[in-house]
Amino acid sequence: MCVGPLKRFCHWGPLIALGIIKSVTFATVSCLSQWWPPHESWGSSVLFFTFMSCAVLTLYCFLHAMFTGPGTMPLKWEPEKAEDKQFLQFCGTCEGYKAPRTHHCRKCGRCVMKMDHHCPWINNCVGHKNHCSFTFFLLFAVLGCAQASVVLSLSIYHAIHRTWYIYYGTGREPIVYMSLWGMVMCMFVLGLAIGVVLAVGMLLYFQLRAILRNRTAIEDWILEKAVHRRGMMDQPFIYPYNLGCWNNFKQVINFSCEPIGDGIMWLVRTECHQYTLTIEQLEQKAEKRARCREYQVVQSYSGWWFPCTKGLGVCCHPPCTDEPRISLQLGDIVAVTRWKKYWLYGERTSGSSKAERHRGWFPRCCAVQILSTESDSDNPPTDTNRPVQDSPVESKKKSCFVEENNPGCRDAAADLRLALSLASRPSRRIMSNPSRHGCLDELCRALAMTPARNSIAPPHGPAALLLVTLTSVLALLDLPLGHAYFITVPSTDGAFTM
């Protein structure tokens, strides 16, 4: 059965959705034939016709959205102009460039045109080609289930009071017969219908809002980061695809469910161009790579969603997302880009090819941050007799692990912590957690115990405290909190790194 087009049905989402559609339809038609038969009046005929129309259209739009698909980019796609490649992202899985508004879906395994989200109910992505049919599916599902809720609730009410209507009624009340199991099934289907009205109705609202703004859920997140990245000082980012509510609506909604455009070139505002959004994405990716920190795995992780062996806090505080977990082995290197109290998100860089990227969440206790001892190349030495420093490539290979909770405290460390807390108080409280003091204690011990280079003593006393304070504040404000850090300290004979 799971071969060819029928493969889409081999998933829990479409099977449950079809089950809900069929159960609501059969239960409503059965109750409607007793409560208000269609042949008795024109009102009942209209009600029956509208409900059946919603049921049929719901099923049709559901299948259309599932099998039409969102539209995917051809493998190894490249823009017509070679100079446009610098404005586009490259997908290693599809071995081609991503057109504007295109994103790679890890579940479908392809780059999707104007991707909004991956919907498990249709077992496919919602994007450029099926956005209209998916929206109609939501609309007719809400309308049909609203009618079904009214019919089922009134039928159950008349079935419960059937005896009273027989003996004390006027004779014009409808008599609805239900067995015990029939009553239970109707109440269960009534709960499904009300749930669809509430849940799917909310999803319909978000879809209509996205259509009127001509902005997908992914682009909402990109725009939010663009506004936050610029702040109040820079020129605000202009979203290029918002052409007005009516023009945005016409681009998606029509009776034929056929999209406008080819999914590669888009109509944009006059003050923007085709690659306005993709350039912003590239800049955000560059900042993300700059924030990235390398961690080495010290405890293996199986990839379970609730790893009981990693502690109660890890099990009770999982990330609220459907993003995957990655399995890790001892010694793996992970480039971390997101930090939570008990979890980290990153990409495994050791033992993975470019075509196959392993990204996901893993427990924070399974890895420690790598500290690279990198020399300061901005201030080259002027003494010709001084030994040549290692190149940046060689110096990056020298790494060490520093635990966050180092014991011991000295007077210099206490003064340094006080100066750092006072200097950073206007912006953020980086010293509020005592567990973050260990790396600073290690720094002060290293400063006091490191031998001078070429018998020239490093700065000491208030000058040393001032230099370390200033460089530490600049370094710590740009690094994630609660980790070990490396700091470059200038001295009279150049720069040395700890």
Side-chain angles (χ1 to χ4, degrees):
M1 178 179 177
C2 297
V3 179
L6 296 179
K7 187 177 181 180
R8 289 289 176 188
F9 285 107
C10 298
H11 187 264
W12 60 266
L15 296 178
I16 293 178
L18 288 175
I20 294 175
I21 294 173
K22 292 301 181 182
S23 60
V24 171
T25 301
F26 290 153
T28 305
V29 170
S30 176
C31 292
L32 189 60
S33 62
Q34 298 184 65
W35 174 65
W36 200 3
H39 60 273
E40 287 189 354
S41 63
W42 65 270
S44 60
S45 300
V46 171
L47 179 61
F48 180 80
F49 176 77
T50 54
F51 173 76
M52 291 304 299
S53 299
C54 288
V56 173
L57 289 173
T58 299
L59 183 60
Y60 171 78
C61 293
F62 172 78
L63 297 176
H64 187 275
M66 179 190 296
F67 291 109
T68 300
T72 57
M73 295 295 297
L75 296 176
K76 301 181 180 180
W77 179 84
E78 295 183 356
E80 295 182 357
K81 299 180 179 179
E83 58 268 19
D84 292 343
K85 294 180 181 180
Q86 59 180 324
F87 306 122
L88 299 175
Q89 299 182 76
F90 184 82
C91 178
T93 304
C94 299
E95 299 180 352
Y97 288 88
K98 300 179 184 178
R101 312 188 77 177
T102 298
H103 304 277
H104 184 85
C105 177
R106 65 176 182 272
K107 295 183 179 179
C108 296
R110 294 293 298 273
C111 288
V112 178
M113 299 178 179
K114 192 189 171 185
M115 178 180 175
D116 184 82
H117 68 284
H118 184 91
C119 179
W121 303 109
I122 64 174
N123 194 21
N124 210 334
C125 283
V126 178
H128 175 59
K129 293 185 178 180
N130 64 350
H131 201 177
C132 179
S133 56
F134 180 77
T135 306
F136 279 143
F137 160 65
L138 301 180
L139 175 64
F140 293 128
V142 170
L143 294 178
C145 287
Q147 289 180 317
S149 300
V150 175
V151 173
L152 291 173
S153 58
L154 293 176
S155 299
I156 292 174
Y157 177 83
H158 283 84
I160 294 175
H161 298 86
R162 180 187 61 195
T163 304
W164 190 93
Y165 287 133
I166 292 176
Y167 290 101
Y168 305 103
T170 61
R172 295 192 299 268
E173 296 86 0
I175 304 300
V176 179
Y177 293 91
M178 285 188 187
S179 63
L180 177 60
W181 288 108
M183 180 77 67
V184 172
M185 291 301 299
C186 284
M187 295 183 69
F188 175 73
V189 174
L190 175 61
L192 291 178
I194 295 176
V196 168
V197 172
L198 297 178
V200 180
M202 186 178 299
L203 181 57
L204 175 63
Y205 164 75
F206 287 118
Q207 288 298 315
L208 291 176
R209 186 184 68 172
I211 291 173
L212 293 177
R213 296 178 177 180
N214 201 2
R215 203 161 68 208
T216 64
I218 298 177
E219 291 167 350
D220 272 337
W221 174 236
I222 296 174
L223 181 60
E224 181 180 348
K225 290 190 293 183
V227 174
H228 177 74
R229 192 171 67 89
R230 283 166 171 76
M232 301 297 295
M233 304 300 294
D234 298 334
Q235 184 178 0
F237 177 75
I238 300 176
Y239 183 70
Y241 306 116
N242 188 3
L243 306 177
C245 293
W246 178 242
N247 292 327
N248 296 338
F249 185 82
K250 290 190 299 182
Q251 280 192 4
V252 179
I253 303 299
N254 52 68
F255 291 107
S256 63
C257 293
E258 294 294 332
I260 297 177
D262 57 358
I264 298 178
M265 305 297 291
W266 301 91
L267 297 175
V268 296
R269 298 166 64 103
T270 55
E271 60 268 34
C272 303
H273 55 83
Q274 287 291 326
Y275 303 112
T276 299
L277 188 65
T278 57
I279 293 175
E280 173 64 25
Q281 289 179 259
L282 291 174
E283 294 178 356
Q284 292 181 8
K285 293 287 186 182
E287 289 190 0
K288 182 179 179 180
R289 287 191 294 269
R291 294 194 308 267
C292 163
R293 295 292 178 266
E294 284 191 341
Y295 281 68
Q296 181 162 1
V297 178
V298 295
Q299 297 182 26
S300 60
Y301 172 54
S302 60
W304 289 4
W305 282 57
F306 299 98
C308 301
T309 59
K310 304 304 179 184
L312 186 61
V314 176
C315 294
C316 297
H317 301 83
C320 298
T321 174
D322 63 341
E323 293 173 312
R325 276 62 169 166
I326 55 174
S327 59
L328 300 173
Q329 302 296 330
L330 290 176
D332 286 348
I333 305 298
V334 185
V336 175
T337 56
R338 278 183 270 174
W339 293 262
K340 289 185 178 294
K341 185 176 181 180
Y342 295 98
W343 293 81
L344 298 174
Y345 182 89
E347 179 179 355
R348 190 172 64 196
T349 57
S350 61
S352 59
S353 60
K354 294 182 179 180
E356 186 179 2
R357 304 176 64 182
H358 299 275
R359 292 181 296 177
W361 294 93
F362 62 94
R364 190 166 189 164
C365 60
C366 294
V368 294
Q369 185 177 353
I370 299 177
L371 300 181
S372 298
T373 58
E374 185 174 354
S375 60
D376 189 358
S377 59
D378 294 335
N379 299 319
T382 57
D383 190 358
T384 58
N385 297 325
R386 185 175 302 159
V388 180
Q389 298 180 356
D390 293 336
S391 64
V393 176
E394 293 296 332
S395 60
K396 284 184 179 180
K397 295 180 181 179
K398 302 177 182 178
S399 58
C400 62
F401 300 101
V402 178
E403 295 184 0
E404 299 175 1
N405 299 322
N406 290 330
C409 179
R410 303 175 68 175
D411 294 338
D415 295 338
L416 177 58
R417 288 197 297 270
L418 177 61
L420 283 174
S421 60
L422 292 176
S424 61
R425 187 172 297 171
S427 58
R428 66 176 77 171
R429 299 179 62 184
I430 61 176
M431 302 307 299
S432 59
N433 190 350
S435 64
R436 300 170 185 167
H437 297 168
C439 60
L440 298 178
D441 296 337
E442 189 75 13
L443 170 64
C444 292
R445 285 195 295 270
L447 181 61
M449 298 172 61
T450 301
R453 184 178 301 166
N454 286 347
S455 301
I456 300 178
H460 58 278
L465 179 61
L466 177 61
L467 289 174
V468 175
T469 301
L470 294 178
T471 53
S472 300
V473 168
L474 294 177
L476 290 175
L477 289 181
D478 291 333
L479 291 174
L481 304 182
H483 304 282
Y485 305 100
F486 67 93
I487 300 175
T488 300
V489 181
S491 66
T492 57
D493 65 331
F496 60 92
T497 304
M498 292 172 289

